[in-house]
Amino acid sequence: MARRKVLRNNAAVKGKAVRKRHHTFSGDRNRASPAPVVKLYSSLTQEKRDAIVAMGQGSFLDIKCEQLHNLLISWFVQCYQPARRAFVVPCRGVIPLTEESVHIMTGLPRGQSKVKYYVDYKLEAEIAARIFPGGSSRPKVSKLARMVEQYQGADDTFKELWMLFIMSTVVAPTTDTKMSNRCYPMLLDIPRANELNLCKFVADELHEHLSNQKYTRGCLLYCMLRYFDALQTDHLELEIGNARFAINAWSKLAVDCVGALDVQEYDTTTFGTLELKEEYKEAVAREMGLFGGPEGFDSWRKLNTHPTCTQKQRVKAFTIIQTFSSKLNILLSSLVQGLTESSDTESSENDGDSYNEDVETELSEPEAQQNDGNVNAEEQIVSPVVDKTKKVRQDKRTSPAK
């Protein structure tokens, strides 16, 4: 009886620890939520809205889903494969991480100017003294929100505050509650903010963070929209609309509905039930070529799956098989390309040798006929050279190795 009580107490303590870790993880995710941006909508005057549109960020004035689907994002970002620069959804398809997709999802400007994102303490002190007089150069994000809300006018200073605010909340959020001082250099380009290539910046930052398994950093709003937008949802009765950018189309209701349909029955933290659009299946079709494509793989799977296999075991097993098949397909492709390339080179060299032999044979016959009268004279000239060459070769063969 006492043993059972101890086990129950240990389980309760363990459960509290798990819940605490999960809560902390969700808190980090919420810092990347667009909810702080949406809360400012009512306080933005038309003059401020026009200034934001002029910066190429008008899509952020109509964000439909102000909250992140934390569980789905946690699962999706771990599907990222740095070598392929893409999210590989097990047994479903491959979703690339590209600057074009960032533009389609978020509507951020995709200009020609590179985003300056680094630490410059001298510049930081200079700009902070002007924007935050008497305060810290790294204020909290909540203070930035109040400054954007209370600022009178829509000049370049307002644009600087807005840029710092969206960088700290949605575009490049960190796990810190304060803004990053790496944002200061980009304020030099505020008059030409619409010419910045924020799409490339978001893609590169996500690639760096996910490659280092820093799953709570980067534009997680893009990750959520990217996955939902890649799903086949035409058969579902969703009111998504025909907005130009996904950030203005996917509402919280649509995200919750599709997320509930896509979650696995055996585990509420694992997704991938719904099919992806055809454009994301092509890579999987090539990788599954050893099984005759996805249909052949499905037949092979049904034939070899043990009757007692659970859904969790099935997904885990076939994720490993897909990864193995993908790498094996790459190795076989490289092997075949190498073999065919070397055989072509050898055949071309052999063809060249045979051609040279034929030419030498054809040329030697008329030369022999033409020089029949001078054979004795040539032999007298060549024979001493030949004898000397033979002697040198014999000396080399008979000389002891050093």
Side-chain angles (χ1 to χ4, degrees):
M1 194 70 180
R3 179 179 174 83
R4 291 181 180 178
K5 186 175 182 180
V6 170
L7 290 175
R8 284 198 301 269
N9 292 337
N10 291 339
V13 171
K14 184 178 180 181
K16 290 180 180 178
V18 171
R19 287 193 296 272
K20 184 177 181 180
R21 287 198 301 269
H22 179 72
H23 175 73
T24 303
F25 188 70
S26 299
D28 290 341
R29 292 305 178 109
N30 290 336
R31 290 174 189 160
S33 168
V37 181
V38 176
K39 289 180 180 179
L40 291 180
Y41 284 172
S42 59
S43 63
L44 293 177
T45 63
Q46 187 60 45
E47 186 181 13
K48 291 181 178 180
R49 289 175 176 270
D50 293 340
I52 295 172
V53 172
M55 296 173 67
Q57 300 170 13
S59 59
F60 278 67
L61 296 176
D62 188 28
I63 300 176
K64 295 299 183 182
C65 185
E66 63 184 69
Q67 297 179 0
L68 299 178
H69 198 303
N70 296 332
L71 293 177
L72 184 137
I73 294 174
S74 304
W75 165 81
F76 183 60
V77 293
Q78 296 180 61
C79 295
Y80 188 74
Q81 293 188 7
R84 306 182 67 167
R85 204 178 173 94
F87 302 91
V88 181
V89 183
C91 303
R92 286 291 179 264
V94 179
I95 306 175
L97 170 61
T98 62
E99 105 181 37
E100 180 183 4
S101 66
V102 175
H103 180 68
I104 296 173
M105 295 301 110
T106 64
L108 285 170
R110 190 184 177 192
Q112 300 298 322
S113 300
K114 182 180 179 181
V115 176
K116 301 171 183 175
Y117 191 70
Y118 53 86
V119 176
D120 186 333
Y121 292 110
K122 182 178 179 180
L123 184 64
E124 175 184 347
E126 179 183 343
I127 298 179
R130 177 172 52 84
I131 302 179
F132 312 115
S136 171
S137 62
R138 294 188 59 211
K140 289 187 175 182
V141 178
S142 56
K143 182 178 179 180
L144 271 177
R146 289 194 300 271
M147 294 185 69
V148 170
E149 181 180 8
Q150 298 172 3
Y151 190 84
Q152 300 296 323
D155 54 8
D156 286 348
T157 302
F158 168 78
K159 293 180 180 180
E160 290 174 335
L161 291 172
W162 174 262
M163 178 68 79
L164 293 175
F165 177 64
I166 66 162
M167 289 292 295
S168 303
T169 53
V170 180
V171 179
T174 64
T175 56
D176 198 352
T177 58
K178 298 180 180 180
M179 60 158 280
S180 174
N181 57 347
R182 300 173 70 186
C183 298
Y184 278 105
M186 71 175 62
L187 299 184
L188 297 175
D189 298 320
I190 277 295
R192 301 173 300 279
N194 60 324
E195 299 177 7
L196 293 174
N197 194 344
L198 283 172
C199 297
K200 186 179 186 304
F201 170 79
V202 168
D204 291 344
E205 284 290 303
L206 272 174
H207 173 70
E208 180 181 353
H209 293 318
L210 298 182
S211 299
N212 296 320
Q213 299 182 354
K214 296 179 180 178
Y215 299 128
T216 60
R217 297 188 178 185
C219 187
L220 302 180
L221 177 62
Y222 161 80
C223 295
M224 183 184 76
L225 295 173
R226 181 63 167 147
Y227 179 70
F228 280 118
D229 198 69
L231 294 173
Q232 286 185 358
T233 56
D234 294 339
H235 61 289
L236 304 176
E237 296 181 358
L238 299 175
E239 296 181 359
I240 295 180
N242 297 320
R244 181 182 178 186
F245 305 114
I247 194 174
N248 307 132
W250 281 89
S251 64
K252 184 179 183 302
L253 179 61
V255 166
D256 289 341
C257 291
V258 176
L261 293 173
D262 191 59
V263 70
Q264 299 286 351
E265 293 182 1
Y266 67 88
D267 187 359
T268 57
T269 63
T270 305
F271 298 78
T273 300
L274 299 177
E275 295 287 337
L276 296 180
K277 295 177 181 177
E278 293 298 326
E279 59 187 288
Y280 305 111
K281 293 182 178 181
E282 295 179 1
V284 172
R286 291 193 299 268
E287 293 171 0
M288 293 299 176
L290 298 175
F291 298 93
E295 293 78 12
F297 176 74
D298 190 57
S299 301
W300 180 88
R301 175 181 64 81
K302 293 178 180 178
L303 181 65
N304 291 276
T305 302
H306 195 275
T308 60
C309 178
T310 64
Q311 180 68 11
K312 185 175 183 178
Q313 293 173 328
R314 184 179 294 111
V315 172
K316 181 179 180 180
F318 296 125
T319 300
I320 296 174
I321 294 172
Q322 180 184 352
T323 303
F324 171 77
S325 176
S326 173
K327 294 183 178 180
L328 181 61
N329 185 63
I330 295 173
L331 289 175
L332 289 176
S333 299
S334 301
L335 177 62
V336 172
Q337 291 174 7
L339 290 174
T340 53
E341 182 180 359
S342 60
S343 61
D344 292 341
T345 305
E346 290 173 0
S347 62
S348 62
E349 290 177 354
N350 293 334
D351 292 342
D353 293 341
S354 61
Y355 172 78
N356 293 332
E357 291 175 359
D358 294 340
V359 172
E360 290 176 359
T361 304
E362 292 175 359
L363 292 176
S364 62
E365 292 179 357
E367 286 177 356
Q369 295 175 359
Q370 182 179 359
N371 298 326
D372 283 341
N374 302 324
V375 171
N376 294 331
E378 290 179 357
E379 287 180 353
Q380 293 176 0
I381 299 173
V382 174
S383 58
V385 179
V386 173
D387 294 339
K388 187 176 182 180
T389 304
K390 289 181 178 179
K391 185 179 179 180
V392 172
R393 290 179 178 174
Q394 290 176 358
D395 293 341
K396 287 184 178 179
R397 292 195 188 111
T398 57
S399 62
K402 293 182 180 180

